[in-house]
Amino acid sequence: MNIYLSVTIELIVGFMGLLILTRLMGRASMAEATPFDFVAVVVLGDFVGGAIYDPKAKLPMIVFAIIIWGILIFIVEFITLKFNVSRGIIESKPALVVGNGVINRKEMKKNKLDFNRLQMMLREKNVFSFREVEYAILEPNGKVSVIKKPMYDNVKRKDLDMPVKSATLPSVVISDGVVIKKNLDQIGRTQEWLRTELKNRNINKIRDVLLAEWCEEDGLFVQIGGKD
């Protein structure tokens, strides 16, 4: 068989096999892809791609590989669907990184999540300040779900006939016991000012501070529990 025709047929079969398998996995699996789903699809795609360009790999082998890999995926999906205990092992469990307005540093370290990453994920949820968060849950798919504190619920000022105020972006000035000098300079404050503010809250050491955030409208927000 002509090599170009052979590669064409293998590509079509591989493409159709991946398409069918992806459709059978369901929209929910694709929309809420867990690390297991991601690895499964990448490995399958890589295997099929390698098999297509391997002269020793014939068409039946490609189809066989897709079928076997698909069966393994469905077995895992069935196990996680029927047995709750297996979900935490295969798909991981949601992690409460903020509870009752308090950042859970242990869970953040366990999930390799730093403050910069958490800030970015909160901003994606239109939350620009840690003080607004009552609960934040890191989901198995890597996204974060947020419940705001009642006082920060989205109520429009015009509905309450309240004057509209200008908004400023909050700045983190201490992260995990370390002063962020660049952010201090941006808000026009000094480390002496910061130490004074902490002493007013009976905090004598910067390393004891897990997070300190400055907002022009609400002042300094501090949570202790810094470096061990």
Side-chain angles (χ1 to χ4, degrees), residues 81-205:
L81 183 64
K82 295 296 183 180
F83 305 100
N84 291 336
V85 178
S86 65
R87 295 175 188 174
I89 300 173
I90 298 175
E91 297 183 348
S92 76
K93 298 179 180 178
L96 187 67
V97 292
V98 180
N100 293 318
V102 179
I103 298 171
N104 191 329
R105 185 165 174 261
K106 182 179 179 181
E107 283 294 333
M108 288 184 63
K109 292 178 68 175
K110 181 179 177 181
N111 290 275
K112 306 295 188 296
L113 181 65
D114 58 40
F115 282 105
N116 291 337
R117 175 68 177 167
L118 181 57
Q119 274 187 294
M120 184 193 75
M121 297 167 78
L122 291 175
R123 288 195 294 268
E124 290 177 347
K125 298 293 184 179
N126 286 326
V127 178
F128 290 85
S129 173
F130 284 104
R131 76 190 73 203
E132 299 179 22
V133 182
E134 185 72 16
Y135 294 96
I137 301 172
L138 182 64
E139 304 291 357
N141 62 0
K143 297 180 180 179
V144 66
S145 301
V146 180
I147 297 178
K148 289 185 177 182
K149 294 178 180 177
M151 64 182 296
Y152 292 105
D153 278 344
N154 295 327
V155 179
K156 296 181 180 178
R157 285 182 171 270
K158 66 178 183 179
D159 295 335
L160 304 175
D161 293 325
M162 296 176 63
V164 178
K165 296 181 179 180
S166 60
T168 57
L169 192 65
S171 296
V172 174
V173 292
I174 299 178
S175 176
D176 204 12
V178 178
V179 176
I180 312 299
K181 297 180 181 178
K182 180 180 67 175
N183 291 351
L184 265 180
D185 294 338
Q186 288 179 350
I187 66 173
R189 299 296 193 277
T190 64
Q191 291 196 47
E192 288 72 21
W193 167 84
L194 181 58
R195 291 180 185 278
T196 301
E197 289 288 327
L198 294 178
K199 286 182 179 179
N200 291 338
R201 293 169 170 78
N202 295 321
I203 303 173
N204 297 316
K205 298 179 181 179

